[in-house]
């Protein structure tokens, strides 16, 4: 009898111990503890963790190009400084053939810099109307204001598709468009006809359609200029504009198009250099955690790529040290800092970001989040550094004429 009691106790202890360690004799056993499933593999996260700091910081800088060829300086930016993106302006572009040659040269430099290097983001401001950067061989696009005058939002989708075809053919994969600013101030010197209109609903409907058209052609649309540059009377290229509105006032007008774009899964947002003293009295939007991390990411739920407007504009350079401003933008929640002019400026920003990372001022986890978003965007759009060309100009122009034909 004593032996039986000992056996029962031993069995009870064994069952209790098995339950405490999570072991089970059957998956349907009541009270069984099932071990958690292994975390899903995430190749992009693994890639970010394996990247050296210099590579990560390079991905967070979008630099300008001097001249009309892939110069030694820009090749150094790619090979040595590891920049993740480059923007072209009117003075970089002479003809279709030259533009293709330049972009192919930039991609070649990135390929030669090492196997496994993330593909370049190659961008341009091709809005239509007065902001058109591409060669004169290509048909012009109407301004956003003229597109909206048609009364047919599907026309904006067609124009976005034609813009995407045009840009892809030349080798671009990013368009800094559409403009989602509401043209609410007649004294505004910089937006005007670049906006789809003075109605938030019109800007939202036409702007989102153009965004979707660009995306359908695998060109990344960067909607701009958050939280809204329409109610300004100063050009931020020259000086810092001030908008005296509260966050609630912004939600009723300026933020409406951006909210609609986010609902339509916008991939990238550009932040304006404007001061909103009732939201953040000390820093322009592009450097403000209240606006980037708080308003855009927190309140509006945007988790895509956030990019600053060009940091070499007067709104920044007249009031801030460029390197310190770039670091503050990254701390505020911006993933990419745009430094559109001069090799020395790009190098200064790269050095400032690396120093802030090494000192801990710019936390490692924040850098990793930004690089994760950037690499995810590149992967989502299937970007590669392959050459393009030759370009069938007649075919592109025919597509543009169909898209822009008046009903």
């Amino acid at each position: 009898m004593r032996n039986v009691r000992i056996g029962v106790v031993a069995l009870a202890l064994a069952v209790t111990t098995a339950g405490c360690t999570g072991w089970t004799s059957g998956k349907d056993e009541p009270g069984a503890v099932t071990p958690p499933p292994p975390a899903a593999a995430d190749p992009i996260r693994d890639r970010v963790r394996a990247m050296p700091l210099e590579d990560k910081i390079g991905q967070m800088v979008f630099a300008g190009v001097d001249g009309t060829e892939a110069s030694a300086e820009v090749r150094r930016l790619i090979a040595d400084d590891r920049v993740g993106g480059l923007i072209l302006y009117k003075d970089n572009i002479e003809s279709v053939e030259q533009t293709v040659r330049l972009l192919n040269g930039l991609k070649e430099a990135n390929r030669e810099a090492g196997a496994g290097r993330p593909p370049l983001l190659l961008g341009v401001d091709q809005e239509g109307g007065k902001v058109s950067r591409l060669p004169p061989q290509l048909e012009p696009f109407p301004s956003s204001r003229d597109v909206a005058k048609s009364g047919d939002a599907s026309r904006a989708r067609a124009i976005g598709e034609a813009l995407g075809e045009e840009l892809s053919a030349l080798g671009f994969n990013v368009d800094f468009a559409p403009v989602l600013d509401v043209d609410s101030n007649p004294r505004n010197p910089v937006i005007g006809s670049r906006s789809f209109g003075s109605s938030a609903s019109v800007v939202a409907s036409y702007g989102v359609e153009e965004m979707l058209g660009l995306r359908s052609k695998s060109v990344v649309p960067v909607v701009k200029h958050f939280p809204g540059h329409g109610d300004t009377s100063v050009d931020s290229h020259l000086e810092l504009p001030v908008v005296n509105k509260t966050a609630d006032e912004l939600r009723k007008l300026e933020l409406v198009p951006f909210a609609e774009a986010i609902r339509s899964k916008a991939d990238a947002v550009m932040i304006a250099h404007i001061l909103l003293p009732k939201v953040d009295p000390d820093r322009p939007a592009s450097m403000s955690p209240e606006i980037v991390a708080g308003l855009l990411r927190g309140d509006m739920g945007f988790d895509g790529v956030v990019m600053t407007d060009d940091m070499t504009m007067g709104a920044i350079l007249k009031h801030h040290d460029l390197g310190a401003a770039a670091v503050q933008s990254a701390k505020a929640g911006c993933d990419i800092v745009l430094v559109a002019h001069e090799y020395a400026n790009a190098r200064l920003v790269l050095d400032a970001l690396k120093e802030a990372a090494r000192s801990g001022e710019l936390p490692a986890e924040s850098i990793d989040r930004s690089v994760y978003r950037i690499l995810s965007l590149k992967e989502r759009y299937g970007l590669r550094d392959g050459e393009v060309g030759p370009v069938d100009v007649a075919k592109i122009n025919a597509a543009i004429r169909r898209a822009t034909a008046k009903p």
Side-chain angles (χ1 to χ4, degrees):
M1 201 57 191
R2 184 173 185 316
N3 289 340
V4 171
R5 281 198 298 271
I6 292 171
V8 170
V9 171
L11 178 61
L13 285 170
V15 170
T16 303
T17 304
C20 290
T21 58
W23 298 342
T24 62
S25 59
K27 65 180 180 180
D28 295 326
E29 184 177 335
V33 178
T34 304
D42 188 340
I44 296 176
R45 196 170 303 283
D46 292 342
R47 186 175 186 182
V48 172
R49 286 172 178 160
M51 290 172 72
L53 175 64
E54 291 77 8
D55 285 21
K56 294 177 183 180
I57 296 299
Q59 289 298 305
M60 295 174 65
V61 173
F62 214 111
V65 175
D66 293 329
T68 56
E69 297 179 352
S71 66
E73 281 188 346
V74 74
R75 286 178 178 273
R76 282 199 296 274
L77 278 175
I78 294 169
D80 299 336
D81 297 304
R82 312 171 199 190
V83 293
L86 295 159
I87 183 171
L88 300 192
Y89 283 93
K90 197 74 173 176
D91 57 0
N92 303 123
I93 295 172
E94 293 176 334
S95 68
V96 167
E97 296 77 16
Q98 170 269 329
T99 304
V100 170
R101 192 163 56 247
L102 172 54
L103 292 173
N104 281 341
L106 298 176
K107 289 184 278 190
E108 177 187 48
N110 201 48
R111 291 196 306 271
E112 291 177 349
R117 182 72 68 90
L120 290 170
L121 293 170
L122 295 168
V124 67
D125 290 301
Q126 183 67 357
E127 300 173 10
K130 65 183 180 181
V131 181
S132 297
R133 312 296 193 202
L134 297 191
Q137 297 148 279
L138 298 170
E139 292 279 336
F141 283 87
S143 69
S144 296
R145 178 185 289 169
D146 286 341
V147 173
K149 284 180 180 177
S150 70
D152 180 6
S154 66
R155 189 169 177 231
R157 172 77 70 108
I159 284 175
E161 291 171 355
L163 281 166
E165 286 185 33
E166 175 186 54
L167 293 170
S168 293
L170 271 66
F172 291 102
N173 51 38
V174 174
D175 192 6
F176 295 102
V179 170
L180 296 188
D181 303 309
V182 180
D183 186 30
S184 59
N185 187 341
R187 296 175 299 160
N188 193 315
V190 69
I191 300 301
S193 63
R194 297 170 65 192
S195 168
F196 288 100
S198 57
S199 160
S201 61
V202 167
V203 173
S205 59
Y206 282 81
V208 168
E209 287 297 316
E210 185 175 296
M211 180 188 82
L212 296 175
L214 279 160
R215 180 195 291 167
S216 74
K217 301 300 179 179
S218 297
V219 171
V220 180
V222 181
V223 299
K224 60 186 186 184
H225 306 80
F226 187 89
H229 209 313
D231 191 14
T232 60
S233 56
V234 172
D235 184 348
S236 54
H237 293 87
L238 306 175
E239 197 31 279
L240 180 64
V242 178
V243 175
N244 281 301
K245 289 190 173 183
T246 65
D248 285 340
E249 288 173 321
L250 293 172
R251 290 187 186 97
K252 294 173 183 176
L253 184 72
E254 282 85 355
L255 298 185
V256 170
F258 292 99
E260 188 59 35
I262 291 168
R263 278 192 288 271
S264 299
K265 304 192 185 314
D267 292 290
V269 173
M270 176 178 279
I271 306 291
H273 302 314
I274 56 177
L275 184 69
L276 296 106
K278 293 182 179 179
V279 182
D280 184 340
D282 302 315
R283 290 161 292 217
S286 53
M287 296 165 58
S288 169
E290 285 80 6
I291 291 171
V292 181
L295 188 58
L296 178 58
R297 292 212 188 278
D299 294 355
M300 300 180 72
F302 181 68
D303 194 36
V305 170
V306 175
M307 179 187 298
T308 71
D309 206 341
D310 174 24
M311 299 296 286
T312 66
M313 290 162 61
I316 298 299
L317 290 186
K318 288 184 179 180
H319 302 275
H320 301 276
D321 171 81
L322 178 58
V327 170
Q328 179 56 40
S329 291
K331 289 169 64 177
C334 295
D335 303 303
I336 295 177
V337 177
L338 176 59
V339 192
H341 301 285
E342 297 186 22
Y343 173 75
N345 286 330
R347 286 299 313 277
L348 187 154
V349 165
L350 285 157
D351 289 344
L353 291 172
K354 282 185 276 192
E355 179 57 34
R358 293 185 183 116
S359 71
E361 182 183 2
L362 193 54
E365 57 270 22
S366 172
I367 294 170
D368 284 359
R369 279 196 299 270
S370 289
V371 177
Y372 184 89
R373 292 187 188 106
I374 295 163
L375 296 190
S376 297
L377 176 67
K378 292 181 177 185
E379 185 65 26
R380 191 158 59 248
Y381 275 78
L383 302 190
R384 300 294 181 266
D385 281 326
E387 291 191 356
V388 301
V391 176
D392 188 338
V393 173
K395 180 181 177 183
I396 292 173
N397 282 338
I400 295 171
R401 284 193 293 270
R402 285 193 299 272
T404 59
K406 293 182 180 180

